Amino acid sequence: MGGSNENNPGLFLPLNLQEGPRMRGSKFVKDMGLNQRRALASINQNVVGAAHFPCVVNKRDSSEEMAAEMFSNKQQCYEETRKSKDCTVIEVEERLKWRMQRTQLWILDCGDLKDTLAVVEYIDDIYAYYKKTESSGCVSPTYMDRQFDINEKMRAILIDWLIEVHYKFELMDETLFLAINLIDRFLERCTVVRKKLQLVGVTAMLLACKYEEVSVPLVEDFVLISDNAYTRIEVLDMEKLMVNTLQFKMSVPTPYMFMKRFLKAALSDKKLELLSFFIIEVCLVEYEMLRFPPSLLAAAAIYTAQCSLYQFKQWSKTSEWHTSYTEDQLLECSRMMVSFHQKAGYGKLTGVHRKYSTSKFGYAAKAEPALFLLGGL
């Protein structure tokens, strides 16, 4: 920590599970050395000039050409299928439906054809897999009933504090969502006493950092930010217990994964993106939101943010297509989000509201909640 005044342990207080978190002082970020990884461009020079193989996927030169070809092939596909004596009407319709699905997916990603990191060729399969396996990372919405020394309120205090820790360390968004998922899955499987709950939280954040971050904070950083409530050995012992309890299963779909895709389908701007993330981070604190799968939480957050910005119901056919959720399927979750949005700035757990009340996050927390969605209740 280099003896910096801003890293004085007195700035960070232990988590009080009865009164709520208190975090004060300057930004707590450890200066990390520059990463010495080679650029992808220099690595790719090793394969320049390699012979062409038929199995290599060739991208199209332009998105317009690709889209036009797919639409023009629709009628040809229909005619060829109709002429086949072995096909029924249902099979014809299924083939056309499949072709239109592929067309919709490619139209959304046609602007990324030259971006190798966008993996346009596989993106629809990736998200289909996320949707299929998202239940593996979900927990029972009643798991807290099996805990004898902690409750939903203590979980909310811990997560509200961790959101501030995540902000102080300037970590990636993926890290926060994974850390909270690790906490819930661990608490579902193991009973934890009250004085060890904060240890579970900082250890989950450490594990998520190791999985997602390039520059990982040191164990000592997490010990310090918890006001030396635990030792380095205790953190490492808890780390071993957590990964063994979870059987090293770290790759699970979180709401963040779906948020990026669904925001793209919604043609979002920065304002909508920030408000959507504010709403879903508010939901991370709420235990009762565990009953919704990650994909539904992400879709409902975007729908609620659109309603808040425009003050009328907004859910396009494109969004419905890519999320697989209709507006009616989102309403229950969205109404709960509106209630949380309405009270986010009040009470003791206001970490998310304070975070999104800054210029860095576009003052998203100051947006008017979509109260008209509650009118039917």
Side-chain angles (χ1 to χ4, degrees):
M1 308 302 293
S4 173
N5 291 333
E6 68 177 359
N7 294 327
N8 189 327
L11 296 176
F12 303 95
L13 304 180
L15 183 62
N16 188 330
L17 294 175
Q18 301 297 335
E19 299 180 359
R22 301 283 194 275
M23 292 198 66
R24 301 175 296 178
S26 303
K27 182 180 295 185
F28 181 82
V29 182
K30 183 174 179 62
D31 293 330
M32 309 299 293
L34 293 175
N35 191 278
Q36 300 299 322
R37 295 168 60 185
R38 286 190 298 161
L40 291 176
S42 62
I43 296 175
N44 289 339
Q45 290 176 359
N46 298 328
V47 296
V48 172
H52 174 75
F53 293 94
C55 60
V56 176
V57 177
N58 292 319
K59 293 184 178 179
R60 299 181 182 274
D61 294 333
S62 68
S63 57
E64 293 82 2
E65 178 185 351
M66 177 275 299
E69 181 177 343
M70 295 194 75
F71 275 114
S72 64
N73 286 341
K74 176 186 174 183
Q75 186 64 29
Q76 180 181 354
C77 173
Y78 176 78
E79 292 295 336
E80 292 176 355
T81 307
R82 187 171 59 85
K83 292 177 182 179
S84 175
K85 297 180 180 179
D86 298 328
C87 292
T88 64
V89 175
I90 296 178
E91 288 173 334
V92 172
E93 292 177 350
E94 286 298 320
R95 292 188 185 184
L96 288 175
K97 182 179 179 182
W98 177 86
R99 180 62 64 91
M100 288 304 297
Q101 287 175 342
R102 298 289 297 181
T103 303
Q104 285 278 350
L105 290 166
W106 277 87
I107 288 175
L108 180 64
D109 297 301
C110 62
D112 296 324
L113 287 174
K114 295 183 179 180
D115 182 1
T116 56
L117 298 180
V119 290
V120 174
E121 295 89 349
Y122 314 109
I123 193 68
D124 53 324
D125 295 327
I126 291 173
Y127 276 90
Y129 177 76
Y130 284 161
K131 191 73 181 294
K132 180 180 178 181
T133 60
E134 66 176 335
S135 59
S136 64
C138 296
V139 298
S140 169
T142 60
Y143 80 78
M144 197 62 74
D145 296 341
R146 297 189 290 274
Q147 295 287 342
F148 63 90
D149 199 35
I150 61 175
N151 54 38
E152 298 93 331
K153 179 64 175 178
M154 295 177 187
R155 175 192 177 276
I157 293 171
L158 173 67
I159 292 178
D160 187 78
W161 177 73
L162 282 176
I163 289 173
E164 294 199 49
V165 171
H166 172 270
Y167 176 62
K168 297 292 183 182
F169 278 125
E170 297 185 345
L171 301 174
M172 298 169 62
D173 292 331
E174 298 95 314
T175 305
L176 174 64
F177 285 87
L178 178 58
I180 294 173
N181 178 272
L182 295 176
I183 291 170
D184 285 321
R185 286 197 288 136
F186 179 74
L187 293 180
E188 183 183 38
R189 292 164 175 79
C190 288
T191 56
V192 176
V193 295
R194 186 175 311 184
K195 65 179 181 180
K196 294 292 185 181
L197 183 58
Q198 188 180 15
L199 177 60
V200 171
V202 295
T203 305
M205 187 66 76
L206 174 63
L207 281 170
C209 287
K210 289 182 176 181
Y211 191 82
E212 297 286 3
E213 301 288 336
V214 175
S215 299
V216 180
L218 301 177
V219 176
E220 287 77 8
D221 297 335
F222 289 104
V223 171
L224 181 59
I225 208 166
S226 59
D227 195 34
N228 296 296
Y230 312 102
T231 65
R232 184 177 187 275
I233 298 300
E234 286 180 304
V235 175
L236 295 179
D237 286 343
M238 179 59 73
E239 181 182 37
K240 287 187 286 187
L241 176 61
M242 288 188 72
V243 294
N244 280 289
T245 300
L246 301 177
Q247 299 180 333
F248 288 81
K249 187 176 181 181
M250 306 285 287
S251 298
V252 294
T254 64
Y256 177 84
M257 297 177 177
F258 294 102
M259 285 287 287
K260 302 303 290 184
R261 183 66 174 172
F262 295 171
L263 282 168
K264 187 176 184 179
L267 304 177
S268 71
D269 54 13
K270 194 65 177 178
K271 193 172 183 180
L272 175 59
E273 179 179 347
L274 290 172
L275 182 54
S276 299
F277 272 102
F278 163 68
I279 291 173
I280 203 164
E281 285 191 30
V282 168
C283 293
L284 293 178
V285 181
E286 304 294 337
Y287 174 76
E288 58 188 303
M289 300 304 283
L290 291 176
R291 64 193 181 99
F292 298 108
S295 60
L296 194 148
L297 280 173
I302 296 169
Y303 170 70
T304 308
Q306 287 178 325
C307 293
S308 177
L309 287 177
Y310 311 132
Q311 288 300 308
F312 61 85
K313 292 183 178 181
Q314 173 74 17
W315 192 242
S316 67
K317 290 295 182 181
T318 303
S319 292
E320 181 177 328
W321 180 281
H322 288 282
T323 64
S324 301
Y325 292 111
T326 65
E327 186 175 356
D328 290 338
Q329 290 174 309
L330 300 176
L331 277 177
E332 179 187 4
C333 183
S334 181
R335 285 167 177 161
M336 295 175 69
M337 290 178 171
V338 172
S339 298
F340 298 143
H341 183 182
Q342 190 177 13
K343 65 179 184 180
Y346 304 97
K348 295 180 179 179
L349 306 181
T350 58
V352 179
H353 189 271
R354 293 199 307 274
K355 172 182 174 181
Y356 282 88
S357 293
T358 62
S359 58
K360 179 179 179 180
F361 293 94
Y363 306 102
K366 299 184 182 298
E368 289 293 326
L371 297 178
F372 68 91
L373 290 177
L374 304 178
L377 298 180

